[in-house]
C-alpha cells in the first residue's frame, strides 16, 4: 500500500510540474495591452526610409470617438505618420470578452508613387491580441480580393493577412524608458495581382509576402513600438497598360515617447 501511495504521489507531482511548465499565466489573465478610452493619447518618434531618403518626425495618436464598443483614432504629425497608426486611424478598434481579444477593422494603404493611386488593402477583423492564443499561434487570418484601376484597366488583387502571436517580454527599453510585461505580435500581408487585356490575363504581381509588421504592446499602456518592412516586386508590365509600376521597398518604425491615459483606462 505504501509503494502504491508513493508512486501515485510521484505521478501527481509530475503532472503538476508539467502543467506549470506548459501554461504561461500571462495568457490567461485579463491584462489590458491596449487601454481604450476617448482622450487617451500616445506620442511617437517616427522614422521612414525609402529610396535612400530618411524622414523623421513626431506623431500624436489619439482616441477621438467611441461608437457602441468601437473606438476611432486621429493622427497629428509634424512630418511623418506611422504605418501602423495609419491603420488604426483608418478604421475602428474594439475588444471582446473585456480585454481578452483586441480587433482592428480598417485599411492598409501603400503609396505606389508615379502618380498612381495608393493600394488600399482591407483589414477585416484583424486580431491584435488574443488571450487564448499561444506563442507562434495564428490569431487571425483573412483573405479576399479588391479591384483597382491602373491607367484605365481594372487590376484584380488577391490578398491574405495573418496575425501571429510572437510571445512576451518581461521588459523592453524604448527611448531610455523600461516598459514591463510586453506582448509581441506580427502582421503578415501577402498579395498577388492580375489584369485582363485583349483576351489575355497577365500577371502583374506574383504572390509574395509584401509586408511584415512587428508590434510591441506594454501592459496598461498600449502600443510602445512598431516596426514595418515592405517590399513589392512587380512583373514586367504589358505595354498595353501604358504605364510602369515601380517596385516598392521601404521600412519604418514608431517608438513611444510619452503617453496620456484616462484614469478610467
Amino acid at each position: 500500500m505504501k509503494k502504491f501511495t508513493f508512486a501515485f504521489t510521484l505521478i501527481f507531482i509530475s503532472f503538476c510540474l508539467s502543467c506549470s511548465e506548459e501554461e504561461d499565466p500571462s495568457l490567461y489573465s485579463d491584462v489590458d495591452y491596449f487601454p481604450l478610452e476617448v482622450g487617451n493619447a500616445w506620442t511617437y518618434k517616427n522614422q521612414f526610409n525609402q529610396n535612400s531618403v530618411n524622414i523623421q518626425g513626431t506623431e500624436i495618436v489619439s482616441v477621438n470617438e467611441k461608437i457602441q464598443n468601437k473606438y476611432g483614432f486621429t493622427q497629428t504629425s509634424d512630418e511623418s505618420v506611422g504605418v501602423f497608426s495609419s491603420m488604426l486611424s483608418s478604421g475602428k478598434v474594439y475588444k471582446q470578452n473585456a480585454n481578452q481579444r483586441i480587433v482592428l477593422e480598417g485599411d492598409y494603404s501603400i503609396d505606389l508613387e508615379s502618380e498612381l493611386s495608393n493600394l488600399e488593402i482591407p483589414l477585416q477583423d484583424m486580431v491584435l491580441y488574443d488571450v487564448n492564443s499561444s506563442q507562434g499561434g495564428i490569431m487571425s487570418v483573412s483573405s479576399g480580393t479588391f479591384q483597382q484601376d491602373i491607367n484605365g484597366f481594372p487590376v484584380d488583387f488577391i490578398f491574405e493577412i495573418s496575425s501571429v502571436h510572437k510571445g512576451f517580454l518581461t521588459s523592453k527599453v524604448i527611448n531610455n524608458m523600461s516598459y514591463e510585461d510586453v506582448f509581441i505580435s506580427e502582421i503578415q500581408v501577402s498579395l498577388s495581382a492580375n489584369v485582363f487585356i485583349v483576351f489575355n490575363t497577365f500577371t502583374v504581381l506574383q504572390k509574395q509576402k509584401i509586408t511584415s509588421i512587428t508590434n510591441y504592446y506594454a501592459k496598461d499602456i498600449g502600443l510602445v513600438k512598431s516596426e514595418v518592412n515592405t517590399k513589392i516586386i512587380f512583373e514586367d508590365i504589358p505595354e498595353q497598360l501604358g504605364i510602369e509600376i515601380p517596385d516598392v521597398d521601404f521600412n519604418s518604425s514608431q517608438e513611444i515617447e510619452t503617453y496620456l491615459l484616462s484614469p478610467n483606462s
Side-chain angles (χ1 to χ4, degrees), residues 28 121 125 174 212 225:
Y28 300 94
I121 304 175
D125 297 324
I174 301 172
S212 174
K225 185 171 183 175

Side-chain angles (χ1 to χ4, degrees), residues 42-60:
W42 302 262
T43 301
Y44 298 100
K45 177 182 177 182
N46 294 345
Q47 289 197 47
F48 183 86
N49 302 288
Q50 185 174 26
N51 301 330
S52 301
V53 176
N54 178 272
I55 302 174
Q56 300 184 25
T58 301
E59 177 184 23
I60 300 174

Side-chain angles (χ1 to χ4, degrees), residues 8-48:
F8 177 80
T9 302
L10 283 179
I11 294 172
F12 179 76
I13 292 174
S14 299
F15 174 77
C16 292
L17 287 174
S18 175
C19 290
S20 65
E21 289 174 357
E22 292 177 358
E23 295 180 357
D24 183 344
S26 299
L27 296 176
Y28 300 94
S29 63
D30 196 26
V31 174
D32 192 354
Y33 286 101
F34 206 162
L36 296 178
E37 289 290 342
V38 173
N40 284 1
W42 302 262
T43 301
Y44 298 100
K45 177 182 177 182
N46 294 345
Q47 289 197 47
F48 183 86

Side-chain angles (χ1 to χ4, degrees), residues 24-261:
D24 183 344
S26 299
L27 296 176
Y28 300 94
S29 63
D30 196 26
V31 174
D32 192 354
Y33 286 101
F34 206 162
L36 296 178
E37 289 290 342
V38 173
N40 284 1
W42 302 262
T43 301
Y44 298 100
K45 177 182 177 182
N46 294 345
Q47 289 197 47
F48 183 86
N49 302 288
Q50 185 174 26
N51 301 330
S52 301
V53 176
N54 178 272
I55 302 174
Q56 300 184 25
T58 301
E59 177 184 23
I60 300 174
V61 179
S62 307
V63 181
N64 71 320
E65 66 175 356
K66 179 183 180 182
I67 301 175
Q68 295 181 337
N69 69 327
K70 296 184 178 182
Y71 294 84
F73 294 77
T74 59
Q75 299 167 279
T76 305
S77 177
D78 59 2
E79 188 69 29
S80 172
V81 296
V83 173
F84 185 69
S85 56
S86 294
M87 290 182 176
L88 293 175
S89 65
S90 73
K92 297 288 188 291
V93 175
Y94 63 94
K95 294 182 178 181
Q96 296 175 326
N97 299 324
N99 297 311
Q100 296 189 4
R101 203 165 189 257
I102 306 172
V103 184
L104 168 64
E105 296 176 341
D107 294 289
Y108 174 31
S109 181
I110 303 175
D111 184 2
L112 291 182
E113 302 182 285
S114 297
E115 300 181 357
L116 293 170
S117 299
N118 288 5
L119 286 180
E120 301 289 345
I121 304 175
L123 306 174
Q124 304 166 331
D125 297 324
M126 185 175 72
V127 175
L128 305 181
Y129 170 72
D130 189 346
V131 72
N132 294 310
S133 181
S134 57
Q135 184 170 352
I138 304 296
M139 297 187 292
S140 67
V141 177
S142 66
S143 60
T145 63
F146 64 94
Q147 194 174 81
Q148 189 155 326
D149 183 273
I150 296 181
N151 206 28
F153 291 91
V155 179
D156 295 310
F157 289 87
I158 303 171
F159 68 88
E160 181 176 286
I161 303 172
S162 302
S163 178
V164 184
H165 186 307
K166 301 298 286 186
F168 292 89
L169 296 176
T170 304
S171 64
K172 185 171 181 62
V173 176
I174 301 172
N175 289 325
N176 299 317
M177 288 289 294
S178 180
Y179 297 91
E180 308 300 315
D181 192 353
V182 176
F183 169 69
I184 311 168
S185 70
E186 183 179 355
I187 299 167
Q188 302 170 354
V189 182
S190 296
L191 193 66
S192 63
N194 299 288
V195 62
F196 183 78
I197 303 175
V198 192
F199 308 114
N200 286 301
T201 299
F202 296 90
T203 298
V204 175
L205 179 67
Q206 294 281 1
K207 184 178 180 180
Q208 57 193 263
K209 186 172 82 171
I210 64 166
T211 296
S212 174
I213 303 173
T214 304
N215 289 334
Y216 300 80
Y217 301 88
K219 173 185 175 182
D220 297 329
I221 295 173
L223 182 75
V224 291
K225 185 171 183 175
S226 180
E227 298 173 317
V228 180
N229 288 285
T230 292
K231 189 171 185 177
I232 308 176
I233 301 175
F234 289 96
E235 297 295 300
D236 292 334
I237 304 302
E239 61 181 22
Q240 295 97 320
L241 203 59
I243 194 171
E244 288 294 324
I245 305 178
D247 294 340
V248 177
D249 190 354
F250 69 81
N251 62 79
S252 68
S253 66
Q254 296 182 258
E255 293 188 340
I256 194 166
E257 291 187 324
T258 62
Y259 58 92
L260 178 64
L261 303 178

